[in-house]
Amino acid sequence: FWRMAKEIKKGDKIVVPLKLPEIKEDKESTKIARILGFTLSDGTISKRKGKWKDGRGYWYNGTKSRLRIFCEVESVLNQSKEDLEKEFGLHVKIYKRNDCNCSVVQSLHAKVINRINELGVPLGNKAGIIEIPKIVWESSNEFKRNFISALFSCDGTISKTGHQIEYYCKSRRFLEGLQILLTHFEIDSVIR
């Protein structure tokens, strides 16, 4: 029986197709897919308005913006740095943190932070409120593949047997979205 979505009630059982038609034209590049994945898993974006002192000691009113991606894996750091530089045409910094065993990719450019925020990454403490960005749902399987790959390269693990992969996140809504996203590639998953 076919039903309209508005006719479905809590407790009804439904059957959905695993093979969904693929979108061919992407609105954004695969670099954006990876940047979103890296930022949602191990990154932060922030904006602070305030009164700041410039290099010559003069005060000014302004906004400071910052994107940081934390990771201990050099290939992830280099990939995120390269993606940011090529996508936005600017210089991005990598530095080693003194207080932990990781390095950071950092951009202080407002256009980067504004674009990532527009695409669905919340500012500030995002751990419990993130969701799969709308642009991911509206993009090709190649875009989705790059997004998922970036997520798992930061916060994912593979079991010793290699038969199981796990992804950890505080946001239940994000995990539910990721579970649906994995079905695009015929990957069954369970949320615990």
Side-chain angles (χ1 to χ4, degrees):
F1 298 97
W2 290 92
R3 297 280 183 261
M4 298 288 290
K6 64 183 179 183
E7 297 171 355
I8 298 173
K9 296 175 193 75
K10 187 173 182 176
D12 287 351
K13 293 185 179 185
I14 61 171
V15 177
V16 294
L18 283 179
K19 276 288 197 188
L20 300 171
E22 184 180 351
I23 297 167
K24 299 294 181 194
E25 294 292 320
D26 286 329
K27 296 176 186 173
E28 298 288 343
S29 70
T30 55
K31 292 185 277 303
I32 286 289
R34 289 189 296 268
I35 292 167
L36 286 173
F38 293 140
T39 307
L40 283 168
S41 56
D42 277 346
T44 64
I45 58 174
S46 62
K47 274 187 183 181
R48 293 184 327 182
K49 292 184 179 189
K51 196 170 186 178
W52 314 102
K53 195 181 271 192
D54 68 11
R56 295 177 299 200
Y58 297 108
W59 288 95
Y60 69 95
N61 292 326
T63 303
K64 287 192 174 185
S65 301
R66 179 171 66 185
L67 162 86
R68 292 193 300 180
I69 299 169
F70 303 88
C71 195
E72 58 188 39
V73 181
E74 191 174 329
S75 61
V76 170
L77 294 166
N78 291 333
Q79 182 68 63
S80 58
K81 179 182 189 310
E82 180 183 324
D83 287 343
L84 284 163
E85 288 179 341
K86 286 184 177 178
E87 185 66 28
F88 294 100
L90 39 89
H91 179 70
V92 176
K93 177 180 171 182
I94 295 181
Y95 64 91
K96 180 89 171 128
R97 287 191 53 162
N98 295 331
D99 60 342
C100 66
N101 187 26
C102 69
S103 294
V104 179
V105 173
Q106 177 174 280
S107 173
L108 301 175
H109 297 86
K111 74 177 183 178
V112 174
I113 286 74
N114 292 339
R115 187 69 188 128
I116 300 303
N117 184 236
E118 287 169 11
L119 289 172
V121 178
L123 295 169
N125 187 0
K126 63 179 178 32
I129 60 170
I130 59 173
E131 297 180 28
I132 301 292
K134 185 179 176 186
I135 190 69
V136 175
W137 300 114
E138 299 171 346
S139 299
S140 69
N141 284 352
E142 183 63 25
F143 187 95
K144 291 176 179 89
R145 206 176 348 270
N146 278 279
F147 175 75
I148 292 168
S149 175
L151 285 175
F152 277 90
S153 65
C154 293
D155 277 347
T157 61
I158 301 173
S159 66
K160 290 182 181 180
T161 61
H163 291 49
Q164 182 176 332
I165 59 173
E166 294 180 355
Y167 185 81
Y168 298 93
C169 183
K170 189 175 179 181
S171 169
R172 173 80 183 198
R173 196 165 170 110
F174 184 81
L175 292 174
E176 290 168 350
L178 183 57
Q179 186 177 34
I180 294 168
L181 197 58
L182 290 171
T183 63
H184 287 247
F185 302 100
E186 300 180 22
I187 300 171
D188 293 326
S189 59
V190 176
I191 298 175
R192 309 186 264 128

